[in-house]
Amino acid sequence: MTDAGDPTPKPRKLHVKSFGCQMNVYDSQRMADLMAREGYTETARADDADLVILNTCHIREKASDKVYSEIGRLREFKDAAARDGRQMQIAVAGCVAQAEGAEIVRRAPAVDLVVGSQNYHKLPELLARSARKPVVDTEFPVEDRFDALTPPSRRAIRARGVSAFVTVQEGCDKFCAFCVVPYTRGIEVSRPVARIVAEVERLAEAGVRAVTLIGQNVNAYHGAAETGGSATLADLLYRVARIPGIAQLRYTTSHPNDVDETLIAAHRDLPQLMPQLHLPVQSGSDRMLAAMNRKHTREQYLDVIVRLREAQPDIAFTSDFIVGFPGETDKDFADTMSLVDVVQFTTSYTFAYSPRPGTPAASIAEQVPEAAKTERLHALQAKIREREAAFNRQCVNRSFDVLLEKPGKLPGQLVGRSPYLQPVHVMADRSRIGEIVRVHTTGLMVNSLFGDIIAAPPQEAPLALAGAGE
Ligand code: SAH
Ligand code: SF4
Ligand code: F3S
């Protein structure tokens, strides 16, 4: 540690910018916690920071390219700081760091440190070394980096709000033909149940009420159980649900092939488990699913949806879709469009296929022209938006349990989330942040609901969540 032996490290400022998925958000918070111990306080501004960390994403070309434009901007701040006699360090962390390593320092000499997604627990030591010359560390270490991390202070937890992400699983062994994650994050590793429970207990004691268990492939979770042997994600959910104060649970992101009977049962039996599931399917065409190496068919995916709906009729599904995967025809795309109608996803993320270096799909000769990708993307987005708007309209004039999370834009207003993650605005005193209240919704603006806190729920017919064709 740089400041070992120095009881009062001088205050320095840290700016962390997170790109990509929730795993990166979690890692960014852990980096901030670690550097807090070294005397760094967080700042929202990059220009007056002593250390800027870019926690990067490699998933698509656009995401990856952003890193270099960000570094360009930071270099100006760094030069300005140097003119004022102040040193600013720039660190690139996350998945681009893992994938490109030393190439980043070659292309952008302003960078002091490149630290891979598995090594950021060594940040203080690496930063000290980088004072002399740029350092690159992208090895996959043998030690568990989670064990080496600093837990957040109570104040940091409170500042982050009443809902939190907790990484329970990392990496992916699925090797979908388009995806860099197995290369940037490595093989699937699960944290032991006891460690996760300790982390959630700490969060709950500081006021956190909702927890989302996260992992690149979270339902492949198989961590060490507290009583020996290995626990499934469902076992973990039941255990975390017993922690006092934790009222709402979610998990993301799941793979359809790893939805087992225990997880389906958890959706039926566990009241804390929110009726919302992000279950990416990528395509509705069996031919594309095979080419993508998803290892499941359209029917198998639909079967999982049906079984989850039988267990929990209120469950709403969202997905990720890729259009323009190599070899995708109009017919394949039509299958994707029809799947959206069949499942009636409440919303979804859509992406145009982006060839990624080192992945099998990038070298397939039959790439889809950009114009066709864009056209399909727009058509799919229009369909998804239409369904999303219809779902949001259906959610007006109903009642939901809402976790009040933070102040709204108007004075006296708070914002919370519906079980389906829509923002819900109500008039309520700030002291009620962290409470779960019953809200009767009265209006809708774009994707936000508005409503009033009520005492008891009226009798209501169920939401229309299932599609016609299942
Ligand atoms: N582990 C999750 C998420 C992976 S990344 C899962 O298995 O679903 C998030 C999403 O990015 C993916 O679901 C996919 O839709 C999209 N994606 C991944 N690689 C991509 C690529 N090369 N081009 C376009 N979209 C991609
Ligand atoms: Fe990528 Fe597929 Fe793994 Fe998801 S399951 S992270 S899409 S390889
Ligand atoms: Fe991006 Fe890495 Fe997440 S590539 S999506 S930040 S796992």
Side-chain angles (χ1 to χ4, degrees):
M1 302 290 113
T2 49
D3 291 315
D6 178 358
T8 49
K10 76 173 169 29
R12 283 167 292 182
K13 289 186 192 158
L14 162 70
H15 177 76
V16 191
K17 189 158 180 181
S18 203
F19 302 85
C21 64
Q22 286 141 346
M23 308 286 292
N24 266 13
V25 175
Y26 178 87
D27 291 344
S28 293
Q29 291 179 350
R30 295 292 76 74
M31 287 192 263
D33 295 334
L34 180 59
M35 297 315 290
R37 204 182 60 191
E38 303 290 314
Y40 284 84
T41 52
E42 271 193 271
T43 166
R45 283 171 50 183
D47 58 345
D48 71 347
D50 301 290
L51 169 62
V52 179
I53 303 175
L54 298 178
N55 197 14
T56 60
C57 173
H58 195 55
I59 201 84
R60 285 166 292 274
E61 196 179 353
K62 252 197 212 133
S64 217
D65 285 350
K66 246 189 233 159
V67 179
Y68 290 99
S69 53
E70 278 293 323
I71 298 171
R73 202 171 65 94
L74 292 177
R75 203 190 54 206
E76 289 173 27
F77 296 151
K78 183 171 177 151
D79 292 346
R83 284 196 294 275
D84 291 347
R86 193 163 63 80
Q87 197 207 1
M88 178 194 276
Q89 284 183 295
I90 302 177
V92 178
C95 292
V96 178
Q98 191 64 49
E100 296 189 3
E103 174 63 19
I104 298 176
V105 185
R106 260 197 298 280
R107 249 180 95 175
V111 172
D112 299 280
L113 171 63
V114 176
V115 54
S117 44
Q118 307 295 317
N119 297 302
Y120 66 73
H121 58 293
K122 294 189 270 177
L123 258 178
E125 171 210 327
L126 296 172
L127 280 167
R129 268 171 45 204
S130 75
R132 293 184 292 279
K133 68 174 182 29
V135 168
V136 176
D137 187 348
T138 54
E139 293 299 306
F140 282 108
V142 282
E143 75 266 25
D144 179 354
R145 91 179 138 77
F146 290 103
D147 287 352
L149 289 174
T150 315
S153 67
R154 215 180 144 83
R155 223 176 87 215
I157 299 172
R158 286 188 172 267
R160 288 169 191 155
V162 292
S163 55
F165 294 130
V166 175
T167 295
V168 302
Q169 178 280 338
E170 261 215 310
C172 182
D173 297 348
K174 292 279 188 288
F175 290 91
C176 298
F178 49 81
C179 185
V180 292
V181 170
Y183 312 96
T184 62
R185 292 279 180 163
I187 55 161
E188 277 171 17
V189 179
S190 299
R191 297 176 68 196
V193 172
R195 295 278 159 73
I196 297 163
V197 167
E199 186 167 332
V200 177
E201 279 172 350
R202 195 181 167 91
L203 294 171
E205 280 158 17
V208 167
R209 307 294 317 277
V211 165
T212 304
L213 306 180
I214 57 173
Q216 264 90 23
N217 196 4
V218 72
N219 57 338
Y221 177 84
H222 57 273
E226 286 167 302
T227 49
S230 130
T232 63
L233 180 63
D235 297 332
L236 179 65
L237 286 164
Y238 282 100
R239 177 65 187 88
V240 172
R242 294 212 319 266
I243 296 173
I246 299 301
Q248 297 188 344
L249 288 174
R250 294 185 168 82
Y251 60 91
T252 200
T253 299
S254 304
H255 192 288
N257 290 3
D258 293 321
V259 177
D260 65 8
E261 283 310 319
T262 65
L263 194 55
I264 293 176
H267 277 282
R268 186 183 53 230
D269 299 333
L270 200 55
Q272 290 92 335
L273 190 53
M274 293 290 99
Q276 198 270 331
L277 187 58
H278 187 60
L279 194 62
V281 63
Q282 315 297 353
S283 170
S285 151
D286 279 340
R287 226 173 57 83
M288 285 300 102
L289 288 170
M292 288 174 169
N293 194 31
R294 288 289 293 180
K295 302 191 185 86
H296 63 79
T297 61
R298 175 187 172 107
E299 275 321 300
Q300 284 164 336
Y301 180 83
L302 285 173
D303 180 56
V304 173
I305 298 276
V306 167
R307 286 189 295 142
L308 280 160
R309 273 194 177 133
E310 276 166 11
Q312 166 52 291
D314 289 339
I315 199 165
F317 293 98
T318 59
S319 176
D320 293 343
F321 291 95
I322 295 179
V323 300
F325 185 81
E328 187 187 69
T329 62
D330 286 341
K331 162 80 175 66
D332 294 316
F333 177 64
D335 288 346
T336 294
M337 293 288 271
S338 81
L339 187 72
V340 175
D341 287 333
V342 171
V343 180
Q344 296 276 298
F345 296 102
T346 50
T347 185
S348 287
Y349 295 105
T350 53
F351 308 103
Y353 170 68
S354 168
R356 305 306 292 133
T359 59
S363 50
I364 301 176
E366 229 185 317
Q367 297 288 326
V368 174
E370 286 304 318
K373 283 189 205 172
T374 309
E375 197 179 309
R376 288 174 194 170
L377 189 65
H378 288 166
L380 181 59
Q381 283 172 341
K383 183 183 275 297
I384 286 166
R385 267 201 305 271
E386 205 177 290
R387 165 67 187 149
E388 182 180 34
F391 176 68
N392 285 338
R393 282 194 302 273
Q394 243 197 81
C395 290
V396 180
N397 205 12
R398 305 193 61 92
S399 66
F400 295 113
D401 283 334
V402 172
L403 169 61
L404 299 175
E405 292 191 346
K406 56 184 181 200
K409 282 206 185 84
L410 302 179
Q413 192 184 50
L414 295 184
V415 191
R417 297 250 174 206
S418 77
Y420 303 111
L421 289 173
Q422 297 131 309
V424 182
H425 301 253
V426 295
M427 298 310 282
D429 188 75
R430 272 185 93 112
S431 61
R432 302 194 71 175
I433 289 176
E435 271 184 48
I436 293 169
V437 294
R438 195 75 188 174
V439 172
H440 180 254
T441 54
T442 51
L444 174 73
M445 217 153 62
V446 198
N447 292 326
S448 290
L449 294 161
F450 292 78
D452 304 312
I453 297 177
I454 54 168
Q459 284 292 318
E460 285 175 346
L463 286 163
L465 284 155
E470 280 172 41

